[in-house]
Amino acid sequence: MAGSDTQFQLVTFQLGEELYGVDIMDVKEIVKTSAVRPIPNAPYYVEGIVNLRSEILPIMNLHKRFHLQKLQSTEEDNEYDGGFLILNIDGNKIGIIIDRIARVVTINHDDIKAPPQMLSGIGTEYISGVVRQESQYLIILDIRKLFNTKELQKIIQLK
């Protein structure tokens, strides 16, 4: 519900077998997969850059960053598969590779639990909380902690 301080919306997506979410206010758009050009001497988790409507954006691979397996998809899954989530991190646009977009969900702040010490290879420093969703858990990522300020500046300079 808009205007409610106890609720907020998350864009949810899959990385491997896990469901993740980021605050909808940090998401600029969702883009189907396009050609990524590699960048020499980039950090191992930087897949490369894409030209999105004449804007050059760095693309991060969270699978590599957190040592996650890619989701194994079937043919009927193709309409939801792959792509990039374009995030706006403090005025900088960065794309992250996702296996599958899920949906936008509304979460109550009271439903958020502290994350376990280690969850699917991602340390708790990158997670702002966990919410039980039907038969699985939704891991809420803190995008501002995914890349520290120094890393973010290095990534932005790669463009």
Side-chain angles (χ1 to χ4, degrees):
M1 289 183 179
S4 175
D5 289 339
T6 62
Q7 294 182 325
F8 64 103
Q9 291 186 309
L10 297 171
V11 174
T12 62
F13 57 94
Q14 275 190 276
L15 284 177
E17 296 298 321
E18 299 295 336
L19 185 65
Y20 295 89
V22 294
D23 190 320
I24 197 169
M25 300 306 290
D26 294 326
V27 177
K28 175 155 179 12
E29 64 185 301
I30 300 162
V31 179
K32 281 289 190 188
T33 304
S34 63
V36 178
R37 298 187 61 144
I39 304 171
N41 301 318
Y44 70 96
Y45 56 85
V46 175
E47 198 71 15
I49 55 174
V50 295
N51 185 337
L52 184 63
R53 292 183 293 284
S54 300
E55 188 173 12
I56 305 299
L57 303 174
I59 302 296
M60 306 300 114
N61 188 327
L62 296 183
H63 297 92
K64 290 179 181 178
R65 171 92 188 221
F66 300 123
H67 309 289
L68 299 172
Q69 294 292 320
K70 286 189 72 82
L71 179 67
Q72 299 301 314
S73 62
T74 60
E75 285 185 30
E76 64 259 12
D77 293 334
N78 284 343
E79 66 182 86
Y80 302 108
D81 278 354
F84 309 124
L85 205 56
I86 307 300
L87 304 173
N88 187 347
I89 304 175
D90 301 326
N92 297 304
K93 292 180 193 158
I94 292 180
I96 59 171
I97 296 172
I98 58 173
D99 288 332
R100 180 181 298 147
I101 192 68
R103 59 189 172 149
V104 174
V105 297
T106 300
I107 301 293
N108 290 314
H109 281 284
D110 296 340
D111 294 338
I112 300 172
K113 307 294 182 222
Q117 284 302 310
M118 189 55 95
L119 193 60
S120 298
I122 296 180
T124 56
E125 65 267 29
Y126 307 114
I127 300 172
S128 58
V130 177
V131 176
R132 179 86 172 149
Q133 287 272 301
E134 297 158 16
S135 63
Q136 69 184 91
Y137 288 96
L138 169 61
I139 302 164
I140 304 170
L141 294 176
D142 183 340
I143 64 162
R144 281 160 187 77
K145 292 183 180 172
L146 284 179
F147 311 102
N148 66 40
T149 307
K150 193 174 184 179
E151 282 179 311
L152 194 55
Q153 287 309 316
K154 184 175 182 180
I155 291 165
I156 297 305
Q157 290 172 357
L158 290 172
K159 313 191 282 183

